[in-house]
Amino acid sequence: MKTVAAFPRPFKVRVRHTRGVSLPDPQPEELDPACAIQAKGLRKAYGNVVAVKELDLSVRKGEVVGLLGPNGSGKTTTILMLMGLTEPSDGWARVLGYNPLRDPLSVKRRVGYMPDSVGFYDHLTATENLEYTAMLAGLDAASRKARIREVLTHLELSNVADKKVGTFSRGMRQRLGLAEVLVKEPGIIILDEPTSGLDPEAAREFLAIIRALKERGITILLSSHLLHQVQEVCDRVLLFYRGEKVLEGTVGDITRRVMGSTRMFMLEVAGTDPNRVLASIPGILRLSKQGEGKWTVEADRDIRADIADGVTRGGGRLLALSDSEPTLDDVYARYFEHMRTKDAERAAMNSTEEQKFVRAGERSSAEEQETKGAAPQKEDSP
Amino acid sequence: MKHGDTTITLQREGSPFKGLWVVTVKEMADHMGSIRIRLLFALIGLAAVSAIYSAVQQIRSVVGEDPFVLLHVFTVSQDPLPSFVAFLSFLIPLGAIALGFDAINSEYNRRTLSRVLAQPIYRDAFLMGKFLAGFLTLALTLVVLWLLVIGLALFVLGVPPSAEEIGRSFMFLIAALFYAGVWLTIAMLFSVVFRQPATSALAALGVWLLFAIFWNMLAGLIGQIPSNQMAQLMSQLWFSRISPNTLFAEAMVALLDPTTRSLGPILYSQLEGAMLGTALPFGQSVLLVWPQFTGLIAEVILLFTGTYIIFQRQEIRA
């Protein structure tokens, strides 16, 4: 029997399967007709790197949802899976009832997608660029022309309609990208980083357009890492971190969850040092200087009366004191600060465990060698 | 996680050819309007006119006795200029590479790919449309050139071409077209593999040099491996026929020189009863080069399939 083991093993061909892997379908009762986009257990792995981890997502019709997170946290991959432009490794998605994996053409016909840093054919005019994609979208010649003119006018691009796109500014390209999306008259609009690279004025204009679309009842999914903009237009926000959806809810919800009961106050004083006069107030958590005479106070309850009292008693003058709602930026900063310290702790723990593991491995391989060295002797003996 | 038991089959809904024609027309319009193709036209036109002019100068003296005057316009050369077909076998790869080397990677670099593929079409149509546009552009160029040569020969020599001459030169045109197709797919393959257009152009030109200069040397080396002389000859021949240049050159010789009887080694016993130096009928010549035609077409299909598979597996995000 030993001779059998001496034969070389047959070749093992490693086949990379992207297709052919059986992906789950939703149960009928899981599907909600009021939802424009639904996904469950959606996962995408590139080799060993997991880009999106078991994502559950639902967007109701007419809702504006923001995907938030730092670069590389899986927002674009999620969008590409919803569009059927990349295949998920596991899970299912339905967009307006269609399966993007199985029937991507039906999804793409009804969904307008603007990729981040959208590009155009520079040697063609704005109209020609839109005509090309409108033809690919299957619009007939008569309605195409009228739609393009109408949309260009709406986005204030009609004066440059016959100019080559090569001469366009970043903001104009971005608006042209949105124009292309609108020519299709989509039920859902997906915008990937629509305001990145725009100057504040252009970004504000762009957000105003999105708000107008929202009023028309179009479902919008937009990704961004610029929070104050998302805050302005989104009904609901999904916070991504390293391929995982870590928080979900309205901006208010998320704020309450991350910040807890912490409240923030803006304080402006003259003639005294708040560090000295406010230190004894119960409930005060943090005092930080923002500028000359300007401070923010964090506390676990409303201590405005105590602050005013403290300042006047300390001989200073109170110039302003207001309750400030924490912005999503504060939440964001706080949350990722929290995650980073957690990661650091985990990394420290892993490294010690790894060392243990390596030591164990060394020992076992040493043992193996010993047994190997012993084996031939055994075979020699009858 | 609980999911249904049903699994997704490999099949997708909708036609892979939807949008094919839109992509083809747009890409062809781009080709036609590009400076690249104008330079190419100028280059090929110049080469054609000069080669034909010098050929005609030489042929004029023997016009009366030659039954295949038109074919000689293609093949006759006069120092220092090479013949028209030699020019063609040199310029066709160049033109095809020029049309294909940035087909896909330029779409990535301009960030237009994800926008176009977000429209209701499959990638199949996009790649196929790009190929068809390049192929049709090359076909148009070659047909124009072909008509130009025939017209020029008619005008200068004053001898109307026979039906057989038209047939032979037409088959040559088809061979040239598939030869161009091979180079177009090679260039497109590199445009999918490499993200930088400069890299893919260089790679395609490298392959061109390999086949144009080094392949016959390699074939000679391979030919020395077997011990038997016939086997040496055959292995050398088979190896050299991997090169599209060899296939095209053989097709060219058999079609444009009607006296060609064989494209490989031939035994004395096989020549018994043959009238050497007389022309083969058109049908027999076509039969002779049929394997070469098949080889060229097969290379186009194989290369395109490879390109297609690699492109399908690529992530479309830039």
Side-chain angles (χ1 to χ4, degrees):
Chain A
M1 280 294 103
K2 256 178 191 167
T3 49
V4 174
F7 274 111
R9 275 197 205 153
F11 268 121
K12 257 193 187 164
V13 182
R14 236 183 105 239
V15 183
R16 271 195 312 161
H17 275 296
T18 47
R19 278 149 202 243
V21 178
S22 57
L23 295 183
D25 262 347
Q27 302 283 9
E29 67 270 14
E30 284 181 294
L31 294 174
D32 181 358
C35 278
I37 301 174
Q38 259 189 304
K40 196 171 172 194
L42 212 56
R43 181 170 181 281
K44 177 73 186 180
Y46 297 101
N48 291 327
V49 184
V50 179
V52 175
K53 285 177 203 160
E54 277 75 38
L55 172 73
D56 294 350
L57 173 76
S58 65
V59 178
R60 283 188 307 281
K61 283 177 183 154
E63 206 177 14
V64 179
V65 172
L67 304 178
L68 272 180
N71 295 328
S73 57
K75 293 167 295 178
T76 302
T77 309
T78 304
I79 289 173
L80 291 178
M81 283 192 284
L82 294 176
M83 288 297 292
L85 290 173
T86 194
E87 293 170 12
S89 311
D90 197 6
W92 57 262
R94 289 293 178 276
V95 178
L96 294 170
Y98 296 96
N99 182 351
L101 184 62
R102 186 75 194 278
D103 192 5
L105 299 192
S106 297
V107 172
K108 292 197 263 188
R109 200 169 296 128
R110 290 162 182 85
V111 180
Y113 166 53
M114 188 171 96
D116 69 325
S117 52
V118 59
F120 292 91
Y121 298 104
D122 287 348
H123 62 282
L124 299 180
T125 66
T127 313
E128 283 166 348
N129 264 294
L130 295 194
E131 283 230 328
Y132 180 44
T133 37
M135 275 163 86
L136 289 175
L139 268 66
D140 61 285
S143 65
R144 202 163 62 217
K145 289 236 158 35
R147 279 292 301 160
I148 289 172
R149 206 171 316 127
E150 184 191 320
V151 168
L152 284 177
T153 312
H154 177 63
L155 292 177
E156 291 166 11
L157 288 168
S158 52
N159 52 336
V160 290
D162 296 317
K163 288 238 169 65
K164 297 217 160 132
V165 178
T167 63
F168 279 27
S169 71
R170 188 93 178 77
M172 284 157 86
R173 279 164 194 267
Q174 215 71 8
R175 270 185 289 159
L176 189 59
L178 192 60
E180 179 195 275
V181 164
L182 294 178
V183 166
K184 261 169 132 180
E185 297 192 301
I188 300 176
I189 295 178
I190 299 182
L191 306 168
D192 198 355
E193 299 279 357
T195 52
S196 75
L198 293 187
D199 60 74
E201 179 59 27
R204 217 179 350 267
E205 279 174 22
F206 202 86
L207 288 174
I209 299 167
I210 294 176
R211 258 197 302 276
L213 290 174
K214 177 184 170 180
E215 265 146 43
R216 278 205 251 157
I218 298 176
T219 312
I220 301 173
L221 186 68
L222 74 100
S223 89
S224 180
H225 60 270
L226 297 171
L227 301 144
H228 56 280
Q229 297 179 347
V230 171
Q231 194 167 12
E232 270 180 60
V233 293
C234 290
D235 300 325
R236 204 150 57 83
V237 170
L238 273 60
L239 197 62
F240 278 69
Y241 184 69
R242 302 216 169 154
E244 248 172 312
K245 181 181 71 176
V246 285
L247 286 172
E248 179 178 3
T250 62
V251 173
D253 281 346
I254 289 184
T255 308
R256 269 191 296 282
R257 283 205 347 242
V258 174
M259 302 300 276
S261 55
T262 307
R263 300 191 54 171
M264 290 171 81
F265 306 102
M266 302 293 299
L267 176 65
E268 222 181 313
V269 291
T272 185
D273 180 12
N275 263 327
R276 190 168 49 80
V277 297
L278 300 181
S280 57
I281 297 173
I284 196 159
L285 295 174
R286 197 195 289 188
L287 193 61
S288 44
K289 193 169 182 174
Q290 301 294 330
E292 194 48 51
K294 287 185 179 156
W295 301 73
T296 53
V297 185
E298 283 178 46
D300 60 4
R301 65 191 91 142
D302 192 350
I303 53 164
R304 275 178 289 183
D306 296 327
I307 293 172
D309 202 27
V311 170
T312 42
R313 225 181 268 171
R317 285 190 301 152
L318 184 65
L319 302 177
L321 176 60
S322 62
D323 190 356
S324 94
E325 189 76 16
T327 64
L328 210 42
D329 280 301
D330 298 323
V331 175
Y332 205 56
R334 172 68 70 92
Y335 185 80
F336 289 121
E337 197 180 302
H338 180 64
M339 289 306 286
R340 264 192 288 277
T341 50
K342 250 191 173 172
D343 278 345
E345 279 167 21
R346 206 177 302 147
M349 251 166 66
N350 279 350
S351 70
T352 52
E353 282 201 354
E354 245 165 55
Q355 275 172 359
K356 273 185 216 158
F357 180 74
V358 167
R359 262 183 241 127
E362 273 167 7
R363 198 167 46 240
S364 70
S365 65
E367 278 167 11
E368 230 171 76
Q369 275 175 356
E370 268 173 35
T371 49
K372 263 186 196 165
Q377 289 172 359
K378 272 179 200 165
E379 270 179 0
D380 281 353
S381 60
Chain B
M1 240 181 302
K2 284 272 179 292
H3 288 301
D5 291 332
T6 45
T7 53
I8 286 163
T9 57
L10 301 184
Q11 212 152 22
R12 303 202 173 188
E13 310 273 333
S15 161
F17 297 112
K18 196 182 165 291
L20 174 65
W21 199 237
V22 178
V23 176
T24 308
V25 168
K26 185 255 173 195
E27 290 297 323
M28 234 181 125
D30 280 0
H31 282 324
M32 291 301 173
S34 72
I35 295 170
R36 211 180 286 172
I37 197 83
R38 279 178 219 171
L39 282 174
L40 204 69
F41 270 140
L43 200 64
I44 293 179
L46 199 67
V49 170
S50 59
I52 289 159
Y53 178 76
S54 65
V56 163
Q57 292 296 317
Q58 214 177 17
I59 293 167
R60 245 191 197 148
S61 51
V62 290
V63 143
E65 305 118 55
D66 195 342
F68 295 111
V69 172
L70 178 67
L71 297 184
H72 286 157
V73 171
F74 282 91
T75 53
V76 166
S77 67
Q78 191 181 37
D79 279 339
L81 281 177
S83 68
F84 174 62
V85 284
F87 260 128
L88 265 193
S89 57
F90 192 74
L91 287 175
I92 283 175
L94 209 63
I97 289 172
L99 289 183
F101 79 94
D102 65 346
I104 301 296
N105 49 20
S106 72
E107 300 277 343
Y108 272 107
N109 293 339
R110 275 185 302 216
R111 296 178 164 278
T112 41
L113 188 67
S114 48
R115 198 171 55 85
V116 170
L117 291 183
Q119 307 311 321
I121 59 162
Y122 280 115
R123 288 182 206 199
D124 311 44
F126 191 65
L127 190 70
M128 188 76 120
K130 288 234 166 200
F131 172 75
L132 270 184
F135 197 67
L136 290 178
T137 307
L138 288 168
L140 198 70
T141 316
L142 289 172
V143 168
V144 166
L145 206 58
W146 182 69
L147 291 173
L148 194 75
V149 170
I150 292 178
L152 216 60
L154 202 64
F155 187 69
V156 179
L157 295 174
V159 183
S162 65
E164 185 176 344
E165 280 179 306
I166 295 290
R168 281 177 180 275
S169 62
F170 181 75
M171 286 308 282
F172 168 71
L173 175 71
I174 303 291
L177 184 56
F178 280 102
Y179 176 58
V182 173
W183 289 104
L184 180 65
T185 42
I186 286 176
M188 280 183 73
L189 174 67
F190 286 128
S191 88
V192 171
V193 173
F194 298 114
R195 279 295 154 83
Q196 291 303 320
T199 316
S200 81
L202 217 57
L205 288 175
V207 173
W208 175 52
L209 275 182
L210 172 74
F211 281 135
I213 297 172
F214 301 115
W215 201 256
N216 282 334
M217 280 161 56
L218 282 176
L221 281 176
I222 296 275
Q224 284 168 9
I225 296 170
S227 52
N228 172 327
Q229 210 174 12
M230 189 65 186
Q232 279 185 358
L233 212 58
M234 290 315 280
S235 60
Q236 186 177 349
L237 200 63
W238 280 111
F239 186 75
S240 73
R241 277 177 180 162
I242 295 171
S243 159
N245 292 35
T246 310
L247 294 176
F248 178 59
E250 285 181 344
M252 193 164 79
V253 166
L255 287 169
L256 297 183
D257 180 4
T259 59
T260 309
R261 300 187 157 250
S262 164
L263 293 168
I266 197 159
L267 297 175
Y268 276 118
S269 59
Q270 289 174 307
L271 280 175
E272 232 178 66
M275 291 190 284
L276 289 176
T278 50
L280 224 54
F282 175 53
Q284 291 301 310
S285 285
V286 171
L287 216 56
L288 188 62
V289 295
W290 202 246
Q292 274 70 16
F293 267 89
T294 316
L296 282 173
I297 295 171
E299 282 184 359
V300 174
I301 293 173
L302 274 180
L303 285 164
F304 184 78
T305 311
T307 311
Y308 174 83
I309 291 171
I310 297 172
F311 183 54
Q312 287 288 338
R313 283 169 177 260
Q314 264 175 353
E315 287 296 322
I316 69 141
R317 66 198 303 179

